[in-house]
Amino acid sequence: MIWKKHSSFAKRLLLTGLAGLVVGLANAADTIKVGALHSLSGTMAISETTLKDTVLMLVEEQNKKGGLLGKQLEAVVVDPASDWPLFAEKARELVDIEKVDVVFGCWTSVSRKSVLPVFEELNGLLFYPVQYEGEESSKNVFYTGAAPNQQAIPAVNYLMDELGVERWVLAGTDYVYPRTTNKILEQYLKDSGVAASDIMINYTPFGHSDWQTIVSDIRTFGSEGKKTAVVSTINGDANVPFYKELGNQGISAEDIPVVAFSVGEEELSGIDTEPLVGHLAAWNYFMSADEDVNYGFIEKWHAFIGNEERVTNDPMEAHYIGFNMWVEAVEKAGTTDVDAVREAMYGLTYPNLTGGTAVMNTNHHLTKPVLIGEIQADGQFETVWQTPGGVIGDAWSDFLPDSKPIVADWTAPISCGNYNISTGKCSGQNY
């Protein structure tokens, strides 16, 4: 009798425990988790903190619409602190421990390269919102920023054709994005008839602050009778002292124009832009875009952030497009399952904030317009040139011999990120 009593009690405990487990699992599935993997401290915080806020705004907006698949979205924020190995740890935390359904994150290519093996191992899904060097297409990443043919190449063409530039300074931060982009640009310039002696290449570490000698060298390089320009892949907070030193040494856009690939409204908001008027940036979006959809986005941003002085920028638009495409793909697939969402992404369209329509291609890159803007005294950009329509992002550069025959297409029959059309095979790692 005692055994029976204890047995009954044990069964009740077991049933209660199982019931609690079921309730706990149900509660865990009550929300759809959205990861934000952006540096909130360190050298890249100047650029990435705003992207974290953008993700939070987009989550809030979607929840106001009723959520997704009958559930509310829950943002899970981590801080990889501009520490590239820590990005991989935080990515694993988001996907493996927090069980997020999607991640929006990274800025630098070195951070993206750090997390890539994690997303591929765990079959996670990353939306990467920043311009990059190409030479990659992973089935677990959607690249919503610009490939080189959507930013770097058009910018160089503009400098050549519109400003008559003959000498080139390729100045970048010392990591994979500037080095690979400049490798593409150097080859492109040489193919366009530019002599090696008319190309100066310089790299500096993250957070570099002493620009006096380098800017002086740029001035000297540009004083030899040929129109000279700087193509800048300088990233993060190093841009602030770089532009200040240009002003200190009196280098104006008339003398040596700078076209930047990593400087937008956010980076300019912290410095005196008066001496920088006329210098350039190449992006796919500027806050100054005269479109109703853009005004609506800015209004929502100011309301969310509680500060009408806060600016918007290109990577914010990339998150805006990527997030809304992901929402549409989840609704189309009826699930947040990564493989199903991936298939549902292909061919999706969403309005750009500059007008026109972004398209997600089967190489995981967007079709987007390219804009060249001049810095204004108020820290905004005036668009001085843009493509007549959208440009399809090219994962592999046509200007590097080893990359020219490679294409990415994640649909059958290729289903590969680096298919060599000459050999008919996927080469190397499958991205």
Side-chain angles (χ1 to χ4, degrees), residues 213-392:
T213 300
I214 295 171
V215 171
S216 178
D217 290 343
I218 291 171
R219 176 200 286 276
T220 300
F221 185 76
S223 66
E224 298 182 16
K226 293 182 178 181
K227 183 66 175 179
T228 302
V230 177
V231 178
S232 172
T233 48
I234 299 165
N235 235 307
D237 56 9
N239 277 295
V240 176
F242 170 66
Y243 278 97
K244 283 184 176 178
E245 188 58 34
L246 288 177
N248 290 342
Q249 297 199 26
I251 297 178
S252 70
E254 289 292 321
D255 303 324
I256 302 176
V258 176
V259 61
F261 301 158
S262 297
V263 173
E265 294 85 348
E266 184 73 13
E267 288 75 20
L268 291 179
S269 65
I271 59 178
D272 176 17
T273 56
E274 194 73 45
L276 308 183
V277 170
H279 286 301
L280 305 163
W283 290 103
N284 309 115
Y285 163 85
F286 290 119
M287 184 178 179
S288 57
D290 186 15
E291 296 288 338
D292 288 343
V293 64
N294 183 44
Y295 294 135
F297 179 76
I298 295 169
E299 184 178 352
K300 288 179 180 178
W301 170 242
H302 286 163
F304 174 81
I305 210 69
N307 181 356
E308 293 193 356
E309 299 301 315
R310 287 289 295 275
V311 296
T312 59
N313 61 25
D314 180 281
M316 290 175 67
E317 188 212 27
H319 262 344
Y320 162 81
I321 293 170
F323 181 88
N324 284 291
M325 282 188 169
W326 171 76
V327 166
E328 188 173 340
V330 170
E331 291 174 337
K332 181 179 175 182
T335 176
T336 57
D337 175 76
V338 169
D339 293 329
V341 170
R342 180 190 304 115
E343 291 298 321
M345 284 287 297
Y346 304 135
L348 290 184
T349 62
Y350 204 78
N352 296 311
L353 295 176
T354 56
T357 304
V359 183
M360 181 54 73
N361 300 293
T362 56
N363 65 358
H364 287 204
H365 291 66
L366 289 174
T367 297
K368 302 207 295 183
V370 185
L371 290 72
I372 308 292
E374 281 189 359
I375 298 174
Q376 304 299 294
D378 61 358
Q380 290 293 314
F381 291 88
E382 178 184 352
T383 300
V384 295
W385 179 90
Q386 67 183 82
T387 52
V391 177
I392 299 173

Side-chain angles (χ1 to χ4, degrees), residues 131-150:
Q131 86 291 340
Y132 85 121
E133 71 282 358
E135 308 306 293
E136 177 183 302
S137 177
S138 169
K139 69 176 183 177
N140 295 93
V141 182
F142 284 97
Y143 306 80
T144 54
N149 72 307
Q150 295 173 306

Side-chain angles (χ1 to χ4, degrees), residues 396 405-409 414 416-421 423-427:
W396 299 91
I406 299 177
V407 298
D409 189 336
I414 293 177
C416 173
N418 55 5
Y419 182 80
N420 191 311
I421 58 176
T423 64
K425 296 179 180 179
C426 286
S427 57

Side-chain angles (χ1 to χ4, degrees), residues 63-108:
N63 283 335
K64 287 178 181 177
K65 298 175 185 176
L68 186 58
L69 301 183
K71 300 177 182 180
Q72 290 284 284
L73 302 184
E74 176 187 351
V76 182
V77 177
V78 294
D79 178 16
S82 306
D83 181 332
W84 320 132
L86 188 58
F87 265 88
E89 292 181 30
K90 291 299 183 180
R92 188 172 294 276
E93 176 185 330
L94 286 173
V95 179
D96 201 27
I97 298 174
E98 294 290 347
K99 305 296 183 185
V100 299
D101 297 282
V102 65
V103 175
F104 294 85
C106 299
W107 181 293
T108 66

